[in-house]
Amino acid sequence: KYTEFSISYYWINSLGQKVSIYHRSEYVPIPSGKENKTATRSYDHVITSLENTFSTGTYYCDVEWKDKRLMGNGVFVLARDTGYVETSYGWEILITLTILLAVLSITATALLLWKRKAKKMCHFMPYAQQMLCPRRNRLNILRKKVETQPPSASPPPPTPPPPVYD
């Protein structure tokens, strides 16, 4: 009496409705000498693709004989559109921080070099009525001063130093 049975696959959706997926009937003959003994058979059913996110629910199978029905425990399936994607901004933050530090480092180095160069420029000292220059520029400035001043003329008015941004 248990050689003929039917297998049903279905799921209970979020509204509590039973939705049939697959149904088939089976006939399994009993070999001689195996009568009145318990036998186990496996039947797998693969759900290839879920239609949409509404396919979330608990999936069941049951086996039905003429006088008996057995139901499986069920498997809960959570369907999503794209699946779970863990967002991580670690690399983006690291690259941004590295670029920012590089830009600040280059800017600070350029400012230090510019300041050093600005210190080496000549400076007019009004109380001494002379230009104060580094050694390498001093001879050129003195030559220009001697060549441009006529011997009998009074010293020209002091010129202010060029602005730093020049």
Side-chain angles (χ1 to χ4, degrees):
K1 89 179 186 181
Y2 294 111
T3 58
E4 291 183 40
F5 56 93
S6 65
I7 302 172
S8 298
Y9 296 93
Y10 60 93
W11 66 288
I12 307 293
N13 64 17
S14 59
L15 301 174
Q17 301 165 332
K18 182 177 177 178
V19 179
S20 180
I21 299 173
Y22 182 74
H23 179 83
R24 75 179 189 208
S25 295
E26 289 286 326
Y27 172 73
V28 181
I30 299 174
S32 71
K34 298 285 185 174
E35 298 90 355
N36 296 326
K37 293 193 177 179
T38 302
T40 303
R41 294 243 175 173
S42 294
Y43 293 92
D44 295 330
H45 179 73
V46 177
I47 301 173
T48 54
S49 64
L50 299 174
E51 294 174 13
N52 52 36
T53 57
F54 297 112
S55 299
T56 295
T58 305
Y59 289 73
Y60 296 93
C61 73
D62 66 22
V63 179
E64 191 172 347
W65 291 271
K66 291 179 184 175
D67 62 345
K68 189 175 185 180
R69 181 175 177 213
L70 292 176
M71 186 172 127
N73 295 331
V75 174
F76 180 77
V77 175
L78 176 62
R80 293 190 178 186
D81 283 336
T82 57
Y84 177 72
V85 178
E86 186 174 332
T87 55
S88 172
Y89 297 106
W91 283 108
E92 289 87 353
I93 291 171
L94 182 64
I95 290 171
T96 303
L97 199 61
T98 303
I99 290 171
L100 181 66
L101 288 174
V103 167
L104 288 174
S105 175
I106 291 169
T107 304
T109 303
L111 286 173
L112 286 173
L113 290 175
W114 178 69
K115 189 168 182 171
R116 179 183 283 177
K117 184 178 178 184
K119 281 186 178 178
K120 290 183 179 180
M121 297 173 111
C122 298
H123 299 287
F124 179 72
M125 300 178 66
Y127 59 88
Q129 293 290 321
Q130 66 178 357
M131 295 288 286
L132 181 62
C133 300
R135 287 187 187 262
R136 65 179 178 177
N137 292 339
R138 190 172 292 164
L139 291 176
N140 291 337
I141 299 285
L142 289 176
R143 274 191 211 133
K144 286 181 185 175
K145 191 174 183 183
V146 170
E147 291 171 3
T148 58
Q149 270 187 350
S152 63
S154 63
T159 58
V164 177
Y165 57 80
D166 282 351

